[in-house]
Amino acid sequence: MLSARQLFLQHQAQTTDFPLLLEVERAEGVYMYGPAGERFLDLISGIGVSNVGHRHPKVLQAIQEQLDKYLHLMVYGEIVQAPPAQLARALSQTLPPGLDNVYFVSSGSEAVEGACKLAKRFTGRSELIAFNNAYHGSTQGSLSLNGSESFKRAFRPLLPDVRHIRHNAEQDLEQISNRTAAVILETVQGEAGVRVPQKEYLQKLRKRCTEVGALLILDEIQSGFGRTGTFWAFEQFEVVPDIVTCAKGMGGGMPIGAFISRREIMHSLKNDPMLGHITTFGGHPVSCAASLATLEVIQTEGLLKEVALKAEQFKQQLVHPAIQEIRNCGLMMAVEFESFAILKAVIDTAILKGLLTDWFLFCDNSMRIAPPLTITMSEIDEACSIILEAIRENVRY
């Protein structure tokens, strides 16, 4: 009988020639466990997904309770179901007044696709503006918005009428015009290696969009659901977007995404044509139940107030001549090394020592640190100790 590893390699589509090949039998809290009892401290949360840790008891309870009622019933938006309705209200209550209409989808890429379609439909314009080194997903529309040509060139032609401008460059804001349907920006750039915009810049971007009638879409797929220390990262910049996208950390480990806007904007999908956006599994009741439980855990267990303190614990301990810089917005962190070669060696050694981390797509000399928000101070101590050991074994000073 073939092992799970053999089945994985023979029958599951691969995206690189060097998958990690960690075999995981179970996971709980900040740890994943292999079939022989191996333990791995998960320092990346499935790339920003497990914000409340693996298999949080309240998330599991919500899933089980919904499993006992019903699963998928109908495509999005046709049947009244309590889990998506209750989640939509709860999400609206975390947002500024007016951002009260939620369209549920199945992933971050789909959330971006829906948001951009909505912007075009509402404004009647075609141009979309994104940023250099942006990452918004891998479907053809979201890929068109990404800021790295190396990831796009093999798939051209992509979406037309997309323009890219420089991050934090005020002079580029003049390129936003009355042709622009929307400007889409990661509130904190993720795959660029955790690049935080200047507060004044983001406010000027908001002002420029308002002046020309373009919608501002803030991508909170990585930064939302408490990752940066506020429920939404944009709260720290005193701006209000027209559309918000979210996914990853919102499901407690279950697949779900959403784009959220004002009622007047969202209702433009109802007519000419009706069914302006369609999704079969968006608003899946089990995922929505898990998401609502995740939201409640973040709010009731005080996870937000601990984010800054935990990030500071990482920064105080990760001190070594090989570490050139640490950038962060809360527990969305990048630890920069001189080169990918050094970083890759450190990551590989850390995995052997029981710690999982990785790098960023567009910043391959920086280590990603994005642990579950539930990580404890002693677990941070353990993680930093392993990272420093891995550095010492691979870098000589």
Side-chain angles (χ1 to χ4, degrees):
M1 182 176 178
L2 294 177
S3 68
R5 177 174 298 217
Q6 290 170 320
L7 292 171
F8 172 86
L9 291 171
Q10 288 187 26
H11 297 290
Q12 190 169 334
Q14 305 293 305
T15 56
T16 73
D17 289 325
F18 43 90
L20 284 174
L21 287 178
L22 290 183
E23 189 170 345
V24 175
E25 193 168 83
R26 64 184 181 91
E28 188 167 354
V30 299
Y31 294 102
M32 300 184 296
Y33 298 88
E38 313 96 311
R39 190 181 75 164
F40 299 94
L41 201 165
D42 181 4
L43 214 56
I44 52 177
S45 307
I47 314 298
V49 168
S50 303
N51 283 11
V52 297
H54 296 285
R55 300 179 64 251
H56 192 286
K58 292 181 180 177
V59 175
L60 294 183
Q61 180 182 353
I63 290 170
Q64 184 60 59
E65 289 176 358
Q66 184 56 43
L67 289 177
D68 290 338
K69 296 175 182 177
Y70 56 84
L71 303 182
H72 175 76
L73 299 178
M74 181 61 169
V75 298
Y76 175 84
E78 297 298 322
I79 290 180
V80 177
Q81 302 175 69
Q86 292 169 352
L87 176 59
R89 179 182 64 178
L91 284 170
S92 297
Q93 291 171 342
T94 69
L95 289 159
L99 289 173
D100 60 359
N101 252 231
V102 183
Y103 194 118
F104 291 113
V105 291
S106 302
S107 70
S109 288
E110 191 184 353
V112 169
E113 296 282 356
C116 290
K117 284 178 62 181
L118 177 61
K120 288 182 171 183
R121 177 67 187 86
F122 181 74
T123 64
R125 302 173 181 179
S126 62
E127 182 181 69
L128 298 171
I129 293 181
F131 289 79
N132 293 345
N133 288 325
Y135 182 82
H136 296 289
S138 289
T139 52
Q140 291 195 70
S142 58
L143 183 63
S144 305
L145 302 168
N146 288 356
S148 173
E149 182 59 28
S150 64
F151 273 76
K152 296 192 293 187
R153 66 171 61 100
F155 306 103
R156 290 192 177 279
L158 293 168
L159 201 64
D161 218 0
V162 174
R163 181 193 301 266
H164 287 82
I165 60 177
R166 292 172 295 171
H167 193 249
N168 270 335
E170 289 186 16
Q171 58 269 43
D172 286 9
L173 297 181
E174 293 301 316
Q175 297 183 45
I176 304 168
S177 71
N178 57 13
R179 290 193 60 255
T180 307
V183 178
I184 182 168
L185 170 70
E186 297 160 272
T187 310
V188 177
Q189 284 196 317
E191 298 310 315
V194 186
R195 309 292 174 172
V196 183
Q198 298 163 0
K199 184 175 182 178
E200 184 180 9
Y201 170 80
L202 198 52
Q203 292 175 344
K204 288 183 177 180
L205 170 60
R206 168 71 276 182
K207 181 181 178 183
R208 179 61 179 170
C209 288
T210 301
E211 288 172 348
V212 301
L215 300 187
L216 176 61
I217 304 171
L218 289 184
D219 181 335
E220 293 263 354
I221 291 167
Q222 285 198 50
S223 60
F225 272 70
R227 172 58 52 192
T228 67
T230 49
F231 197 89
W232 305 103
F234 69 77
E235 297 173 48
Q236 301 174 35
F237 299 90
E238 298 178 15
V239 298
V240 177
D242 298 296
I243 306 174
V244 180
T245 63
C246 52
K248 288 190 179 291
M250 75 181 289
M254 293 293 287
I256 187 172
F259 56 102
I260 308 168
S261 191
R262 300 191 300 274
R263 182 182 303 268
E264 62 173 308
I265 296 175
M266 194 70 80
H267 279 199
S268 64
L269 293 176
K270 292 169 58 177
N271 300 291
D272 195 25
M274 66 176 182
L275 301 175
H277 193 66
I278 299 172
T279 174
T280 297
F281 294 111
H284 192 283
V286 178
S287 290
C288 286
S291 181
L292 182 59
T294 298
L295 188 157
E296 291 172 349
V297 166
I298 292 170
Q299 292 178 328
T300 62
E301 296 190 4
L303 297 184
L304 294 177
K305 66 182 180 182
E306 298 176 348
V307 168
L309 185 63
K310 291 174 179 178
E312 188 60 29
Q313 179 89 340
F314 275 108
K315 293 169 75 173
Q316 287 181 1
Q317 294 201 32
L318 291 177
V319 177
H320 189 279
I323 296 175
Q324 299 186 337
E325 181 184 16
I326 298 179
R327 297 179 298 277
N328 80 293
C329 189
L331 283 171
M332 189 173 176
M333 310 185 75
V335 181
E336 186 166 305
F337 293 83
E338 180 181 345
S339 67
F340 173 72
I342 292 174
L343 173 59
K344 183 64 164 61
V346 170
I347 288 173
D348 290 346
T349 301
I351 290 174
L352 294 175
K353 294 178 178 292
L355 178 81
L356 177 62
T357 183
D358 75 341
W359 60 91
F360 298 89
L361 288 178
F362 309 145
C363 185
D364 66 5
N365 66 330
S366 291
M367 174 186 291
R368 185 194 308 268
I369 294 181
L373 306 184
T374 56
I375 193 170
T376 65
M377 291 302 185
S378 62
E379 289 164 345
I380 292 173
D381 292 343
E382 177 187 357
C384 292
S385 176
I386 293 173
I387 292 170
L388 291 171
E389 283 181 24
I391 293 173
R392 288 191 290 267
E393 290 183 17
N394 288 282
V395 183
R396 299 288 180 261
Y397 275 89

